[in-house]
Amino acid sequence: MAEGEVLCIIGPSGSGKSTFLRCINQLERVDRGAIWLNGELIGFRREGDALHELSDAELARQRLLCGMVFQRFNLFHHQTALQNIIEGPITVQRRSRAEAEEEAMTLLARVGLADKCNAYPIELSGGQQQRVAIMRALAMHPKLMLFDEPTSALDPELVSEVLNVMRDLASSGMTMIVVTHELGFAREVAHRVAFMDEGRVVESGPPEELLERPAHPRTQEFLARVL
């Protein structure tokens, strides 16, 4: 996919959508095929015709290319919103605390949570926690943002506040892969939509084409059930 592109992946539960994201971020091992990110082979080093698994340090470096936002927020519950955001930049990227805190406050202000900087996750709504989680990923300056059904754990009235943050990211030119059941969001924001079933991409195309005029019978069946 191109830099700045937004790809939304849809499909039934168990179709491999989340596993695909985890393979990109190397939380799952790829045993067939290959993934390139930013022109670099992920997880392996090629020497002639042979592939060699990367060391843990090399894998960690590659993981910095991706920011990942999970269904269940995965915030550190013993840390405040501010502390959650600065943990990675300070611990992993060795940035100064002052620099990390300044950027974290800018990010929190961007999503309307500057006044919640000292709040712990238990003191935040689900939508607020997810907004902090998105900013935590963004603080690492990733080349690609991965979203694994980021609104599925939210009450319906909180979904829009998270989708609005993702719309803002998309409009800013962030490259994004989004696993989602929010077809309205996919229709509005995605450059391409891919439909997955049984671990493979059945078809993909522009949202107005795939969502309105799907070519594959399995895609047609899925959309008829969910729309």
Side-chain angles (χ1 to χ4, degrees):
M1 59 188 295
E3 184 177 352
E5 184 177 0
V6 178
L7 170 66
C8 284
I9 303 177
I10 64 173
S13 297
S15 61
K17 306 183 299 297
S18 296
T19 300
F20 175 57
L21 291 193
R22 292 175 66 84
C23 286
I24 295 173
N25 207 27
Q26 303 185 71
L27 299 176
E28 297 282 352
R29 186 179 183 276
V30 175
D31 51 21
R32 282 191 299 171
I35 297 173
W36 279 266
L37 178 57
N38 207 33
E40 185 175 357
L41 180 63
I42 291 295
F44 297 90
R45 180 180 63 260
R46 184 181 296 277
E47 295 181 358
D49 294 330
L51 290 178
H52 303 274
E53 291 190 24
L54 297 182
S55 67
D56 289 343
E58 290 172 312
L59 289 176
R61 178 188 60 78
Q62 285 191 339
R63 285 194 182 102
L64 290 176
L65 296 171
C66 294
M68 189 156 181
V69 179
F70 300 87
Q71 297 179 30
R72 294 286 176 179
F73 325 135
N74 287 0
L75 296 178
F76 297 117
H77 293 288
H78 65 289
Q79 294 184 337
T80 65
L82 178 66
Q83 291 169 335
N84 264 279
I85 293 175
I86 68 174
E87 179 71 26
I90 291 176
T91 304
V92 178
Q93 296 179 332
R94 305 298 183 186
R95 289 153 62 187
S96 71
R97 176 173 292 273
E99 177 191 349
E101 288 187 352
E102 181 179 0
E103 182 175 12
M105 289 303 299
T106 299
L107 291 171
L108 285 169
R110 179 175 177 177
V111 292
L113 292 175
D115 62 330
K116 300 291 186 180
C117 64
N118 293 317
Y120 288 89
I122 196 172
E123 300 172 311
L124 302 173
S125 70
Q128 290 171 332
Q129 290 186 60
Q130 194 63 296
R131 282 185 276 165
V132 172
I134 293 171
M135 294 302 103
R136 178 178 64 178
L138 202 61
M140 300 295 286
H141 301 170
K143 298 289 187 181
L144 171 66
M145 285 283 283
L146 307 173
F147 293 86
D148 187 8
E149 298 188 24
T151 61
S152 64
L154 300 178
D155 293 334
E157 66 268 22
L158 301 178
V159 169
S160 62
E161 63 188 53
V162 173
L163 293 182
N164 285 338
V165 172
M166 294 170 64
R167 288 186 182 96
D168 177 64
L169 282 180
S171 65
S172 73
M174 174 59 69
T175 309
M176 298 162 55
I177 300 179
V178 184
V179 170
T180 185
H181 292 297
E182 301 289 340
L183 299 187
F185 173 82
R187 182 181 286 107
E188 175 190 352
V189 175
H191 297 91
R192 277 191 301 140
V193 177
F195 173 70
M196 285 189 70
D197 190 37
E198 297 183 349
R200 63 189 181 93
V201 175
V202 175
E203 67 175 305
S204 66
E208 64 274 9
E209 186 176 297
L210 186 138
L211 296 177
E212 302 298 335
R213 300 180 299 278
H216 196 281
R218 183 66 186 95
T219 315
Q220 296 170 2
E221 177 188 10
F222 174 79
L223 290 174
R225 289 181 175 180
V226 301
L227 289 178

